[in-house]
Amino acid sequence: DAGVTQSPTHLIKTRGQHVTLRCSPISGHKSVSWYQQVLGQGPQFIFQYYEKEERGRGNFPDRFSARQFPNYSSELNVNALLLGDSALYLCASSPRLIYEQYFGPGTRLTVT
Amino acid sequence: SQKIEQNSEALNIQEGKTATLTCNYTNYSPAYLQWYRQDPGRGPVFLLLIRENEKEKRKERLKVTFDTTLKQSLFHITASQPADSATYLCALDGDNAGNMLTFGGGTRLMVKP
């Protein structure tokens, strides 16, 4: 079975721009979570969606938003990009609302 | 707020020895704790999950203990191999009905041949 896929792999944006990151979960997984990982730190939770509803939100500003589609894929949107948004953005899927998560390879976002 | 601490210094051990990594947490009573492995430039890979009512769990060369009194988990890799070199992350279910994972900063393990 294919694992979690994310696109794009790498992205370079300018301050103030908007970005959309995409994630396809493992087939059959209904939960998708988004994490931000800054170099040298552990992943930090941004959002979780389960059955197309938001089930958790981390301590991130309203510039960050997400949604889950009927096929359980998901998008993470970030508006008005700041230099500090530069990070690896990870998507994880799970067959259930909680318990172990399966991560994708991430999208490396660089804001200049 | 909950806090998770892992040794930020790299752990260097010789091949064949047992590696022991520590995860301490405060201000929280998690229902479960997880360990992940992360290689440079890649997403974390799930290794083990242990619930609050379990003291120990094993999987091949891996062993995890969970002491809710000490608020600590130990992660052991026996007969370590250079291929075990990676960053190991512990994660706890979030403080909001478990809909999120809170990760520690990770410990880098280097196994020398």
Side-chain angles (χ1 to χ4, degrees), chain A residues 35 37 40-43 45 48 55-56 88 90 97-101 103-105, chain B residues 32 34 36 38 41-44 46 49 51 89 97-101 103-105:
Chain A
Y35 293 82
Q37 186 173 27
Q41 298 182 17
F45 174 78
Q48 183 184 35
R55 301 302 293 266
L88 181 67
L90 295 162
L97 183 59
I98 53 177
Y99 300 153
E100 72 272 16
Q101 299 192 17
F103 285 83
Chain B
Y32 58 90
Q34 304 182 31
Y36 289 80
Q38 187 172 28
R42 294 177 175 265
F46 171 76
L49 179 150
R51 294 176 174 79
L89 301 157
N99 291 337
M100 58 178 262
L101 287 180
F103 282 84

PDB file of all heavy atoms in Angstrom, chain A residues 35 37 40-43 45 48 55-56 88 90 97-101 103-105, chain B residues 32 34 36 38 41-44 46 49 51 89 97-101 103-105:
ATOM      1  N   TYR A  35       1.465  18.981  11.125  1.00  0.00           N
ATOM      2  CA  TYR A  35       2.466  19.384  12.095  1.00  0.00           C
ATOM      3  C   TYR A  35       3.474  20.296  11.408  1.00  0.00           C
ATOM      4  O   TYR A  35       3.770  20.146  10.225  1.00  0.00           O
ATOM      5  CB  TYR A  35       3.205  18.172  12.677  1.00  0.00           C
ATOM      6  CG  TYR A  35       2.363  17.272  13.539  1.00  0.00           C
ATOM      7  CD1 TYR A  35       1.545  16.309  12.967  1.00  0.00           C
ATOM      8  CD2 TYR A  35       2.386  17.387  14.927  1.00  0.00           C
ATOM      9  CE1 TYR A  35       0.767  15.481  13.755  1.00  0.00           C
ATOM     10  CE2 TYR A  35       1.618  16.558  15.730  1.00  0.00           C
ATOM     11  CZ  TYR A  35       0.809  15.612  15.127  1.00  0.00           C
ATOM     12  OH  TYR A  35       0.029  14.799  15.915  1.00  0.00           O
ATOM     13  N   GLN A  37       7.477  21.409  11.800  1.00  0.00           N
ATOM     14  CA  GLN A  37       8.721  21.041  12.466  1.00  0.00           C
ATOM     15  C   GLN A  37       9.834  21.994  12.057  1.00  0.00           C
ATOM     16  O   GLN A  37      10.246  22.031  10.903  1.00  0.00           O
ATOM     17  CB  GLN A  37       9.134  19.603  12.145  1.00  0.00           C
ATOM     18  CG  GLN A  37      10.344  19.138  12.947  1.00  0.00           C
ATOM     19  CD  GLN A  37      10.651  17.671  12.748  1.00  0.00           C
ATOM     20  OE1 GLN A  37      10.351  17.088  11.720  1.00  0.00           O
ATOM     21  NE2 GLN A  37      11.262  17.052  13.766  1.00  0.00           N
ATOM     22  N   GLY A  40      15.754  21.081  14.281  1.00  0.00           N
ATOM     23  CA  GLY A  40      16.290  20.851  15.616  1.00  0.00           C
ATOM     24  C   GLY A  40      15.235  20.677  16.693  1.00  0.00           C
ATOM     25  O   GLY A  40      15.575  20.467  17.866  1.00  0.00           O
ATOM     26  N   GLN A  41      13.961  20.755  16.314  1.00  0.00           N
ATOM     27  CA  GLN A  41      12.874  20.609  17.285  1.00  0.00           C
ATOM     28  C   GLN A  41      11.941  19.475  16.875  1.00  0.00           C
ATOM     29  O   GLN A  41      11.983  18.987  15.744  1.00  0.00           O
ATOM     30  CB  GLN A  41      12.080  21.912  17.385  1.00  0.00           C
ATOM     31  CG  GLN A  41      12.903  23.094  17.877  1.00  0.00           C
ATOM     32  CD  GLN A  41      12.064  24.356  18.007  1.00  0.00           C
ATOM     33  OE1 GLN A  41      10.834  24.301  18.044  1.00  0.00           O
ATOM     34  NE2 GLN A  41      12.714  25.489  18.076  1.00  0.00           N
ATOM     35  N   GLY A  42      11.094  19.064  17.797  1.00  0.00           N
ATOM     36  CA  GLY A  42      10.095  18.061  17.476  1.00  0.00           C
ATOM     37  C   GLY A  42       8.920  18.685  16.743  1.00  0.00           C
ATOM     38  O   GLY A  42       8.744  19.900  16.755  1.00  0.00           O
ATOM     39  N   PRO A  43       8.129  17.862  16.080  1.00  0.00           N
ATOM     40  CA  PRO A  43       6.953  18.392  15.376  1.00  0.00           C
ATOM     41  C   PRO A  43       5.983  19.068  16.339  1.00  0.00           C
ATOM     42  O   PRO A  43       5.801  18.598  17.464  1.00  0.00           O
ATOM     43  CB  PRO A  43       6.330  17.136  14.754  1.00  0.00           C
ATOM     44  CG  PRO A  43       7.448  16.147  14.678  1.00  0.00           C
ATOM     45  CD  PRO A  43       8.295  16.428  15.872  1.00  0.00           C
ATOM     46  N   PHE A  45       2.011  20.338  16.736  1.00  0.00           N
ATOM     47  CA  PHE A  45       0.685  20.099  16.188  1.00  0.00           C
ATOM     48  C   PHE A  45       0.017  21.373  15.703  1.00  0.00           C
ATOM     49  O   PHE A  45       0.027  22.395  16.389  1.00  0.00           O
ATOM     50  CB  PHE A  45      -0.169  19.452  17.277  1.00  0.00           C
ATOM     51  CG  PHE A  45      -1.622  19.265  16.915  1.00  0.00           C
ATOM     52  CD1 PHE A  45      -2.011  18.229  16.102  1.00  0.00           C
ATOM     53  CD2 PHE A  45      -2.582  20.136  17.402  1.00  0.00           C
ATOM     54  CE1 PHE A  45      -3.348  18.048  15.776  1.00  0.00           C
ATOM     55  CE2 PHE A  45      -3.914  19.965  17.089  1.00  0.00           C
ATOM     56  CZ  PHE A  45      -4.300  18.929  16.277  1.00  0.00           C
ATOM     57  N   GLN A  48      -5.971  18.763  13.376  1.00  0.00           N
ATOM     58  CA  GLN A  48      -6.389  17.408  13.085  1.00  0.00           C
ATOM     59  C   GLN A  48      -7.797  17.432  12.513  1.00  0.00           C
ATOM     60  O   GLN A  48      -8.673  18.140  13.028  1.00  0.00           O
ATOM     61  CB  GLN A  48      -6.358  16.504  14.304  1.00  0.00           C
ATOM     62  CG  GLN A  48      -6.743  15.060  13.947  1.00  0.00           C
ATOM     63  CD  GLN A  48      -6.821  14.143  15.149  1.00  0.00           C
ATOM     64  OE1 GLN A  48      -7.211  14.542  16.228  1.00  0.00           O
ATOM     65  NE2 GLN A  48      -6.438  12.886  14.960  1.00  0.00           N
ATOM     66  N   ARG A  55     -11.049  18.413  14.456  1.00  0.00           N
ATOM     67  CA  ARG A  55     -11.167  17.788  15.775  1.00  0.00           C
ATOM     68  C   ARG A  55     -10.100  18.287  16.749  1.00  0.00           C
ATOM     69  O   ARG A  55     -10.118  17.908  17.917  1.00  0.00           O
ATOM     70  CB  ARG A  55     -11.077  16.263  15.649  1.00  0.00           C
ATOM     71  CG  ARG A  55     -12.137  15.668  14.752  1.00  0.00           C
ATOM     72  CD  ARG A  55     -13.549  15.995  15.229  1.00  0.00           C
ATOM     73  NE  ARG A  55     -13.836  15.353  16.493  1.00  0.00           N
ATOM     74  CZ  ARG A  55     -14.430  14.170  16.595  1.00  0.00           C
ATOM     75  NH1 ARG A  55     -14.788  13.513  15.504  1.00  0.00           N
ATOM     76  NH2 ARG A  55     -14.674  13.651  17.767  1.00  0.00           N
ATOM     77  N   GLY A  56      -9.189  19.089  16.255  1.00  0.00           N
ATOM     78  CA  GLY A  56      -8.163  19.637  17.141  1.00  0.00           C
ATOM     79  C   GLY A  56      -7.417  20.750  16.447  1.00  0.00           C
ATOM     80  O   GLY A  56      -7.241  20.736  15.230  1.00  0.00           O
ATOM     81  N   LEU A  88       9.575  22.455   8.077  1.00  0.00           N
ATOM     82  CA  LEU A  88       9.098  21.242   7.418  1.00  0.00           C
ATOM     83  C   LEU A  88       7.658  21.020   7.877  1.00  0.00           C
ATOM     84  O   LEU A  88       7.405  20.941   9.078  1.00  0.00           O
ATOM     85  CB  LEU A  88       9.964  20.048   7.811  1.00  0.00           C
ATOM     86  CG  LEU A  88       9.614  18.697   7.185  1.00  0.00           C
ATOM     87  CD1 LEU A  88       9.868  18.707   5.681  1.00  0.00           C
ATOM     88  CD2 LEU A  88      10.402  17.576   7.859  1.00  0.00           C
ATOM     89  N   LEU A  90       4.578  18.610   8.068  1.00  0.00           N
ATOM     90  CA  LEU A  90       4.325  17.178   8.028  1.00  0.00           C
ATOM     91  C   LEU A  90       2.834  16.896   8.094  1.00  0.00           C
ATOM     92  O   LEU A  90       2.100  17.516   8.863  1.00  0.00           O
ATOM     93  CB  LEU A  90       5.018  16.491   9.210  1.00  0.00           C
ATOM     94  CG  LEU A  90       6.545  16.543   9.215  1.00  0.00           C
ATOM     95  CD1 LEU A  90       7.077  16.247  10.608  1.00  0.00           C
ATOM     96  CD2 LEU A  90       7.107  15.551   8.212  1.00  0.00           C
ATOM     97  N   LEU A  97      -9.203   8.079  15.361  1.00  0.00           N
ATOM     98  CA  LEU A  97      -9.069   9.469  15.777  1.00  0.00           C
ATOM     99  C   LEU A  97      -7.765   9.698  16.535  1.00  0.00           C
ATOM    100  O   LEU A  97      -7.118  10.730  16.394  1.00  0.00           O
ATOM    101  CB  LEU A  97     -10.260   9.856  16.658  1.00  0.00           C
ATOM    102  CG  LEU A  97     -10.312  11.307  17.131  1.00  0.00           C
ATOM    103  CD1 LEU A  97     -10.336  12.246  15.919  1.00  0.00           C
ATOM    104  CD2 LEU A  97     -11.530  11.535  17.995  1.00  0.00           C
ATOM    105  N   ILE A  98      -7.370   8.738  17.323  1.00  0.00           N
ATOM    106  CA  ILE A  98      -6.120   8.889  18.059  1.00  0.00           C
ATOM    107  C   ILE A  98      -5.245   7.670  17.807  1.00  0.00           C
ATOM    108  O   ILE A  98      -5.474   6.921  16.887  1.00  0.00           O
ATOM    109  CB  ILE A  98      -6.377   9.071  19.572  1.00  0.00           C
ATOM    110  CG1 ILE A  98      -7.258   7.938  20.119  1.00  0.00           C
ATOM    111  CG2 ILE A  98      -6.997  10.421  19.843  1.00  0.00           C
ATOM    112  CD1 ILE A  98      -7.487   8.017  21.615  1.00  0.00           C
ATOM    113  N   TYR A  99      -4.223   7.474  18.621  1.00  0.00           N
ATOM    114  CA  TYR A  99      -3.264   6.399  18.499  1.00  0.00           C
ATOM    115  C   TYR A  99      -2.242   6.673  17.408  1.00  0.00           C
ATOM    116  O   TYR A  99      -2.096   7.786  16.965  1.00  0.00           O
ATOM    117  CB  TYR A  99      -3.946   5.044  18.330  1.00  0.00           C
ATOM    118  CG  TYR A  99      -4.846   4.694  19.507  1.00  0.00           C
ATOM    119  CD1 TYR A  99      -5.932   3.862  19.349  1.00  0.00           C
ATOM    120  CD2 TYR A  99      -4.619   5.212  20.785  1.00  0.00           C
ATOM    121  CE1 TYR A  99      -6.759   3.543  20.413  1.00  0.00           C
ATOM    122  CE2 TYR A  99      -5.437   4.908  21.849  1.00  0.00           C
ATOM    123  CZ  TYR A  99      -6.504   4.068  21.658  1.00  0.00           C
ATOM    124  OH  TYR A  99      -7.309   3.786  22.721  1.00  0.00           O
ATOM    125  N   GLU A 100      -1.548   5.648  16.950  1.00  0.00           N
ATOM    126  CA  GLU A 100      -0.357   5.854  16.131  1.00  0.00           C
ATOM    127  C   GLU A 100      -0.682   6.577  14.832  1.00  0.00           C
ATOM    128  O   GLU A 100      -1.758   6.417  14.261  1.00  0.00           O
ATOM    129  CB  GLU A 100       0.348   4.525  15.822  1.00  0.00           C
ATOM    130  CG  GLU A 100      -0.357   3.624  14.831  1.00  0.00           C
ATOM    131  CD  GLU A 100      -1.350   2.689  15.479  1.00  0.00           C
ATOM    132  OE1 GLU A 100      -1.726   2.936  16.648  1.00  0.00           O
ATOM    133  OE2 GLU A 100      -1.746   1.722  14.810  1.00  0.00           O
ATOM    134  N   GLN A 101       0.296   7.380  14.425  1.00  0.00           N
ATOM    135  CA  GLN A 101       0.129   8.161  13.214  1.00  0.00           C
ATOM    136  C   GLN A 101       1.213   7.797  12.218  1.00  0.00           C
ATOM    137  O   GLN A 101       2.337   7.474  12.585  1.00  0.00           O
ATOM    138  CB  GLN A 101       0.168   9.650  13.540  1.00  0.00           C
ATOM    139  CG  GLN A 101      -0.957  10.048  14.489  1.00  0.00           C
ATOM    140  CD  GLN A 101      -1.138  11.537  14.625  1.00  0.00           C
ATOM    141  OE1 GLN A 101      -0.664  12.311  13.809  1.00  0.00           O
ATOM    142  NE2 GLN A 101      -1.844  11.961  15.658  1.00  0.00           N
ATOM    143  N   PHE A 103       3.321   9.232   9.117  1.00  0.00           N
ATOM    144  CA  PHE A 103       3.721  10.516   8.560  1.00  0.00           C
ATOM    145  C   PHE A 103       4.142  10.413   7.098  1.00  0.00           C
ATOM    146  O   PHE A 103       4.716   9.405   6.659  1.00  0.00           O
ATOM    147  CB  PHE A 103       4.888  11.100   9.358  1.00  0.00           C
ATOM    148  CG  PHE A 103       4.485  11.667  10.687  1.00  0.00           C
ATOM    149  CD1 PHE A 103       4.329  10.843  11.793  1.00  0.00           C
ATOM    150  CD2 PHE A 103       4.253  13.029  10.834  1.00  0.00           C
ATOM    151  CE1 PHE A 103       3.951  11.368  13.020  1.00  0.00           C
ATOM    152  CE2 PHE A 103       3.881  13.559  12.061  1.00  0.00           C
ATOM    153  CZ  PHE A 103       3.730  12.728  13.155  1.00  0.00           C
ATOM    154  N   GLY A 104       3.880  11.497   6.394  1.00  0.00           N
ATOM    155  CA  GLY A 104       4.404  11.654   5.048  1.00  0.00           C
ATOM    156  C   GLY A 104       5.824  12.199   5.102  1.00  0.00           C
ATOM    157  O   GLY A 104       6.361  12.472   6.178  1.00  0.00           O
ATOM    158  N   PRO A 105       6.437  12.388   3.926  1.00  0.00           N
ATOM    159  CA  PRO A 105       7.819  12.876   3.875  1.00  0.00           C
ATOM    160  C   PRO A 105       7.955  14.362   4.185  1.00  0.00           C
ATOM    161  O   PRO A 105       9.061  14.843   4.441  1.00  0.00           O
ATOM    162  CB  PRO A 105       8.231  12.588   2.431  1.00  0.00           C
ATOM    163  CG  PRO A 105       6.946  12.628   1.685  1.00  0.00           C
ATOM    164  CD  PRO A 105       5.910  12.075   2.609  1.00  0.00           C
TER     165      PRO A 105
ATOM    166  N   TYR B  32      -1.584   7.647  26.889  1.00  0.00           N
ATOM    167  CA  TYR B  32      -0.634   6.777  26.205  1.00  0.00           C
ATOM    168  C   TYR B  32       0.569   7.603  25.773  1.00  0.00           C
ATOM    169  O   TYR B  32       0.530   8.839  25.741  1.00  0.00           O
ATOM    170  CB  TYR B  32      -1.273   6.079  25.004  1.00  0.00           C
ATOM    171  CG  TYR B  32      -1.848   7.007  23.962  1.00  0.00           C
ATOM    172  CD1 TYR B  32      -1.079   7.458  22.903  1.00  0.00           C
ATOM    173  CD2 TYR B  32      -3.176   7.421  24.045  1.00  0.00           C
ATOM    174  CE1 TYR B  32      -1.605   8.311  21.954  1.00  0.00           C
ATOM    175  CE2 TYR B  32      -3.714   8.278  23.102  1.00  0.00           C
ATOM    176  CZ  TYR B  32      -2.925   8.713  22.055  1.00  0.00           C
ATOM    177  OH  TYR B  32      -3.450   9.566  21.118  1.00  0.00           O
ATOM    178  N   GLN B  34       3.959   7.494  22.887  1.00  0.00           N
ATOM    179  CA  GLN B  34       4.449   6.864  21.670  1.00  0.00           C
ATOM    180  C   GLN B  34       5.909   7.226  21.423  1.00  0.00           C
ATOM    181  O   GLN B  34       6.374   8.281  21.845  1.00  0.00           O
ATOM    182  CB  GLN B  34       3.620   7.323  20.464  1.00  0.00           C
ATOM    183  CG  GLN B  34       2.133   7.069  20.600  1.00  0.00           C
ATOM    184  CD  GLN B  34       1.363   7.486  19.381  1.00  0.00           C
ATOM    185  OE1 GLN B  34       1.860   7.446  18.258  1.00  0.00           O
ATOM    186  NE2 GLN B  34       0.118   7.894  19.580  1.00  0.00           N
ATOM    187  N   TYR B  36       8.751   7.495  18.196  1.00  0.00           N
ATOM    188  CA  TYR B  36       8.934   7.568  16.746  1.00  0.00           C
ATOM    189  C   TYR B  36      10.419   7.693  16.433  1.00  0.00           C
ATOM    190  O   TYR B  36      11.197   8.220  17.234  1.00  0.00           O
ATOM    191  CB  TYR B  36       8.216   8.798  16.165  1.00  0.00           C
ATOM    192  CG  TYR B  36       6.707   8.710  16.154  1.00  0.00           C
ATOM    193  CD1 TYR B  36       5.970   8.958  17.307  1.00  0.00           C
ATOM    194  CD2 TYR B  36       6.026   8.379  14.993  1.00  0.00           C
ATOM    195  CE1 TYR B  36       4.580   8.878  17.306  1.00  0.00           C
ATOM    196  CE2 TYR B  36       4.635   8.302  14.974  1.00  0.00           C
ATOM    197  CZ  TYR B  36       3.935   8.556  16.126  1.00  0.00           C
ATOM    198  OH  TYR B  36       2.559   8.484  16.115  1.00  0.00           O
ATOM    199  N   GLN B  38      13.036   9.289  13.493  1.00  0.00           N
ATOM    200  CA  GLN B  38      13.083  10.221  12.371  1.00  0.00           C
ATOM    201  C   GLN B  38      14.496  10.302  11.804  1.00  0.00           C
ATOM    202  O   GLN B  38      15.450  10.574  12.529  1.00  0.00           O
ATOM    203  CB  GLN B  38      12.615  11.621  12.777  1.00  0.00           C
ATOM    204  CG  GLN B  38      12.491  12.577  11.602  1.00  0.00           C
ATOM    205  CD  GLN B  38      11.842  13.898  11.964  1.00  0.00           C
ATOM    206  OE1 GLN B  38      11.928  14.359  13.105  1.00  0.00           O
ATOM    207  NE2 GLN B  38      11.172  14.533  10.998  1.00  0.00           N
ATOM    208  N   GLY B  41      15.605  14.753   7.093  1.00  0.00           N
ATOM    209  CA  GLY B  41      14.838  15.083   5.897  1.00  0.00           C
ATOM    210  C   GLY B  41      13.618  14.229   5.654  1.00  0.00           C
ATOM    211  O   GLY B  41      12.980  14.351   4.607  1.00  0.00           O
ATOM    212  N   ARG B  42      13.277  13.372   6.606  1.00  0.00           N
ATOM    213  CA  ARG B  42      12.128  12.474   6.438  1.00  0.00           C
ATOM    214  C   ARG B  42      11.121  12.670   7.557  1.00  0.00           C
ATOM    215  O   ARG B  42      11.421  13.246   8.598  1.00  0.00           O
ATOM    216  CB  ARG B  42      12.589  11.021   6.424  1.00  0.00           C
ATOM    217  CG  ARG B  42      13.456  10.676   5.219  1.00  0.00           C
ATOM    218  CD  ARG B  42      13.950   9.250   5.303  1.00  0.00           C
ATOM    219  NE  ARG B  42      14.672   8.860   4.104  1.00  0.00           N
ATOM    220  CZ  ARG B  42      14.133   8.228   3.083  1.00  0.00           C
ATOM    221  NH1 ARG B  42      12.845   7.911   3.108  1.00  0.00           N
ATOM    222  NH2 ARG B  42      14.850   7.897   2.039  1.00  0.00           N
ATOM    223  N   GLY B  43       9.905  12.168   7.337  1.00  0.00           N
ATOM    224  CA  GLY B  43       8.901  12.222   8.376  1.00  0.00           C
ATOM    225  C   GLY B  43       9.148  11.167   9.439  1.00  0.00           C
ATOM    226  O   GLY B  43       9.804  10.163   9.187  1.00  0.00           O
ATOM    227  N   PRO B  44       8.643  11.389  10.650  1.00  0.00           N
ATOM    228  CA  PRO B  44       8.788  10.393  11.725  1.00  0.00           C
ATOM    229  C   PRO B  44       8.105   9.080  11.358  1.00  0.00           C
ATOM    230  O   PRO B  44       7.104   9.067  10.645  1.00  0.00           O
ATOM    231  CB  PRO B  44       8.081  11.064  12.913  1.00  0.00           C
ATOM    232  CG  PRO B  44       8.107  12.527  12.607  1.00  0.00           C
ATOM    233  CD  PRO B  44       7.982  12.614  11.118  1.00  0.00           C
ATOM    234  N   PHE B  46       6.456   5.637  13.128  1.00  0.00           N
ATOM    235  CA  PHE B  46       5.939   5.085  14.368  1.00  0.00           C
ATOM    236  C   PHE B  46       6.684   3.800  14.738  1.00  0.00           C
ATOM    237  O   PHE B  46       6.912   2.929  13.900  1.00  0.00           O
ATOM    238  CB  PHE B  46       4.442   4.800  14.219  1.00  0.00           C
ATOM    239  CG  PHE B  46       3.855   4.033  15.374  1.00  0.00           C
ATOM    240  CD1 PHE B  46       3.598   4.670  16.582  1.00  0.00           C
ATOM    241  CD2 PHE B  46       3.579   2.690  15.263  1.00  0.00           C
ATOM    242  CE1 PHE B  46       3.067   3.969  17.650  1.00  0.00           C
ATOM    243  CE2 PHE B  46       3.045   1.981  16.321  1.00  0.00           C
ATOM    244  CZ  PHE B  46       2.793   2.620  17.511  1.00  0.00           C
ATOM    245  N   LEU B  49       3.714   2.100  20.875  1.00  0.00           N
ATOM    246  CA  LEU B  49       2.761   2.832  21.695  1.00  0.00           C
ATOM    247  C   LEU B  49       2.572   2.064  23.000  1.00  0.00           C
ATOM    248  O   LEU B  49       2.444   0.837  22.992  1.00  0.00           O
ATOM    249  CB  LEU B  49       1.426   2.958  20.960  1.00  0.00           C
ATOM    250  CG  LEU B  49       0.269   3.677  21.671  1.00  0.00           C
ATOM    251  CD1 LEU B  49      -0.646   4.350  20.654  1.00  0.00           C
ATOM    252  CD2 LEU B  49      -0.539   2.738  22.560  1.00  0.00           C
ATOM    253  N   ARG B  51       0.343   2.217  26.730  1.00  0.00           N
ATOM    254  CA  ARG B  51      -0.764   2.871  27.432  1.00  0.00           C
ATOM    255  C   ARG B  51      -0.429   3.081  28.903  1.00  0.00           C
ATOM    256  O   ARG B  51       0.462   2.438  29.455  1.00  0.00           O
ATOM    257  CB  ARG B  51      -2.043   2.048  27.278  1.00  0.00           C
ATOM    258  CG  ARG B  51      -2.549   2.004  25.848  1.00  0.00           C
ATOM    259  CD  ARG B  51      -3.775   1.115  25.677  1.00  0.00           C
ATOM    260  NE  ARG B  51      -4.327   1.210  24.333  1.00  0.00           N
ATOM    261  CZ  ARG B  51      -3.843   0.587  23.275  1.00  0.00           C
ATOM    262  NH1 ARG B  51      -2.788  -0.192  23.403  1.00  0.00           N
ATOM    263  NH2 ARG B  51      -4.412   0.725  22.087  1.00  0.00           N
ATOM    264  N   LEU B  89      11.975  10.339  18.835  1.00  0.00           N
ATOM    265  CA  LEU B  89      11.035  11.296  19.404  1.00  0.00           C
ATOM    266  C   LEU B  89      10.028  10.574  20.282  1.00  0.00           C
ATOM    267  O   LEU B  89       9.505   9.533  19.886  1.00  0.00           O
ATOM    268  CB  LEU B  89      10.263  12.016  18.292  1.00  0.00           C
ATOM    269  CG  LEU B  89      11.067  12.806  17.263  1.00  0.00           C
ATOM    270  CD1 LEU B  89      10.275  12.974  15.984  1.00  0.00           C
ATOM    271  CD2 LEU B  89      11.415  14.180  17.829  1.00  0.00           C
ATOM    272  N   ALA B  97      -8.537  15.792  25.248  1.00  0.00           N
ATOM    273  CA  ALA B  97      -9.266  14.595  24.806  1.00  0.00           C
ATOM    274  C   ALA B  97      -8.485  13.791  23.775  1.00  0.00           C
ATOM    275  O   ALA B  97      -9.076  13.010  23.039  1.00  0.00           O
ATOM    276  CB  ALA B  97     -10.640  14.979  24.264  1.00  0.00           C
ATOM    277  N   GLY B  98      -7.181  13.989  23.696  1.00  0.00           N
ATOM    278  CA  GLY B  98      -6.344  13.113  22.895  1.00  0.00           C
ATOM    279  C   GLY B  98      -6.444  13.274  21.412  1.00  0.00           C
ATOM    280  O   GLY B  98      -6.211  12.321  20.674  1.00  0.00           O
ATOM    281  N   ASN B  99      -6.770  14.438  20.950  1.00  0.00           N
ATOM    282  CA  ASN B  99      -6.884  14.627  19.516  1.00  0.00           C
ATOM    283  C   ASN B  99      -5.622  15.167  18.874  1.00  0.00           C
ATOM    284  O   ASN B  99      -5.633  15.531  17.713  1.00  0.00           O
ATOM    285  CB  ASN B  99      -8.038  15.585  19.198  1.00  0.00           C
ATOM    286  CG  ASN B  99      -9.368  14.946  19.501  1.00  0.00           C
ATOM    287  OD1 ASN B  99      -9.486  13.733  19.530  1.00  0.00           O
ATOM    288  ND2 ASN B  99     -10.363  15.762  19.743  1.00  0.00           N
ATOM    289  N   MET B 100      -4.540  15.245  19.630  1.00  0.00           N
ATOM    290  CA  MET B 100      -3.302  15.734  19.080  1.00  0.00           C
ATOM    291  C   MET B 100      -2.148  15.038  19.804  1.00  0.00           C
ATOM    292  O   MET B 100      -2.329  14.502  20.887  1.00  0.00           O
ATOM    293  CB  MET B 100      -3.175  17.243  19.277  1.00  0.00           C
ATOM    294  CG  MET B 100      -3.257  17.672  20.734  1.00  0.00           C
ATOM    295  SD  MET B 100      -3.062  19.439  20.973  1.00  0.00           S
ATOM    296  CE  MET B 100      -1.327  19.498  21.408  1.00  0.00           C
ATOM    297  N   LEU B 101      -0.986  15.049  19.169  1.00  0.00           N
ATOM    298  CA  LEU B 101       0.216  14.546  19.803  1.00  0.00           C
ATOM    299  C   LEU B 101       1.128  15.716  20.140  1.00  0.00           C
ATOM    300  O   LEU B 101       1.298  16.634  19.342  1.00  0.00           O
ATOM    301  CB  LEU B 101       0.962  13.585  18.872  1.00  0.00           C
ATOM    302  CG  LEU B 101       0.368  12.202  18.647  1.00  0.00           C
ATOM    303  CD1 LEU B 101       1.256  11.400  17.704  1.00  0.00           C
ATOM    304  CD2 LEU B 101       0.198  11.463  19.960  1.00  0.00           C
ATOM    305  N   PHE B 103       4.987  16.399  20.941  1.00  0.00           N
ATOM    306  CA  PHE B 103       6.277  15.745  20.785  1.00  0.00           C
ATOM    307  C   PHE B 103       7.343  16.400  21.659  1.00  0.00           C
ATOM    308  O   PHE B 103       7.327  17.615  21.887  1.00  0.00           O
ATOM    309  CB  PHE B 103       6.755  15.836  19.339  1.00  0.00           C
ATOM    310  CG  PHE B 103       6.095  14.856  18.411  1.00  0.00           C
ATOM    311  CD1 PHE B 103       4.873  15.137  17.837  1.00  0.00           C
ATOM    312  CD2 PHE B 103       6.706  13.648  18.120  1.00  0.00           C
ATOM    313  CE1 PHE B 103       4.261  14.242  16.977  1.00  0.00           C
ATOM    314  CE2 PHE B 103       6.114  12.738  17.263  1.00  0.00           C
ATOM    315  CZ  PHE B 103       4.889  13.036  16.689  1.00  0.00           C
ATOM    316  N   GLY B 104       8.282  15.584  22.087  1.00  0.00           N
ATOM    317  CA  GLY B 104       9.490  16.105  22.685  1.00  0.00           C
ATOM    318  C   GLY B 104      10.436  16.564  21.580  1.00  0.00           C
ATOM    319  O   GLY B 104      10.162  16.385  20.392  1.00  0.00           O
ATOM    320  N   GLY B 105      11.560  17.142  21.982  1.00  0.00           N
ATOM    321  CA  GLY B 105      12.498  17.669  21.010  1.00  0.00           C
ATOM    322  C   GLY B 105      13.338  16.601  20.314  1.00  0.00           C
ATOM    323  O   GLY B 105      14.015  16.891  19.324  1.00  0.00           O
TER     324      GLY B 105
END
